[in-house]
Amino acid sequence: SGLTTLYLLQDQSTGKIVTPGVTQDSIDELRRALPALSVDYRGPAFLGVKAMANVTICRIDEVPGGTPADRAKLMAGDVVIGFDDKPVASFQDLVKLIGTKQPGDVIKLEVLRGADENEMDALERLKAKPESDAAKEYLEKLRERMGKKIDVTLGEWGAKPPQP
C-alpha cells in the first residue's frame, strides 16, 4: 500500500480517538500490516491546507476550495511562520497548534507571501541549522519585506462548508 500517514481525530483532553468507526485495535492491526505507517492525531478544528510534512519550513502547497484557509485568502506558496504569536517552523508545528484550538476559534497566522524559490531554498537551508543567528536575521528581513498577518476562523473536520 502507498499509505504513509493516517490522520485521526482525537479528543485533546482525554486522548480518546473520536474518528467514527476507528478503534485502537484497528489501528494496531493496521500498524502491524504497515510498519512504516505514521499515525497523526488531530483535534476537531481544521485549517484546510496541504503542505509537505518533512521539511524545515511550513510552506503551503495547496489550499482546497471551501476550506477556512481558502475563505481567509491563504495561497499556495505562502510560508506560515507564526500562529497566534507562536513561531511555526514546520507543518507538524502548525498541525499541533491547530490541535489546541476548537472549530470556530479565530487564529492569527503570520505568513510570508511572494518569496521566490531562491529565497525559500535559502530559508530552508538556514533553518535546518540549530538556532542559527543567520536564519533569524534572514527571516526578519523576509518578514519586513513580505510578511502578512491573516485572521482565520477554523472549521470543523467533516462539517459542510458555509454556503455563500
Side-chain angles (χ1 to χ4, degrees):
S1 169
L3 183 64
T4 58
T5 305
L6 177 64
Y7 298 104
L8 298 173
L9 296 180
Q10 180 182 50
D11 181 297
Q12 301 297 304
S13 59
T14 66
K16 181 180 176 193
I17 299 166
V18 294
T19 302
V22 177
T23 65
Q24 187 61 53
D25 288 342
S26 63
I27 295 168
D28 293 343
E29 185 176 329
L30 194 56
R31 280 187 165 147
R32 283 190 295 277
L34 301 169
L37 179 68
S38 169
V39 179
D40 189 0
Y41 296 96
R42 300 198 172 181
F46 91 109
L47 177 61
V49 297
K50 295 180 182 178
M52 291 179 47
N54 297 318
V55 294
T56 58
I57 60 175
C58 183
R59 185 175 188 176
I60 297 172
D61 292 327
E62 185 180 340
V63 181
T67 62
D70 178 49
R71 289 189 292 278
K73 307 289 188 234
L74 287 170
M75 300 169 60
D78 284 349
V79 177
V80 180
I81 59 171
F83 180 105
D84 283 347
D85 297 321
K86 295 177 185 83
V88 173
S90 66
F91 186 62
Q92 290 89 340
D93 285 353
L94 180 63
V95 168
K96 286 177 185 171
L97 289 164
I98 292 169
T100 67
K101 301 295 183 177
Q102 294 298 313
D105 285 353
V106 177
I107 52 127
K108 185 171 290 298
L109 291 181
E110 184 177 5
V111 301
L112 301 177
R113 178 168 289 166
D116 65 27
E117 288 300 319
N118 291 332
E119 290 166 324
M120 289 300 91
D121 288 345
L123 181 60
E124 191 167 355
R125 275 194 322 275
L126 288 169
K127 286 190 79 168
K129 298 175 182 171
E131 293 301 313
S132 165
D133 286 337
K136 290 176 187 173
E137 289 173 23
Y138 190 67
L139 180 59
E140 277 308 309
K141 287 179 183 173
L142 290 177
R143 178 181 271 137
E144 289 171 14
R145 192 162 47 91
M146 58 189 71
K148 296 180 115 0
K149 293 200 176 190
I150 300 173
D151 290 336
V152 182
T153 302
L154 295 173
E156 181 175 6
W157 284 105
K160 294 199 184 318
Q163 299 302 313

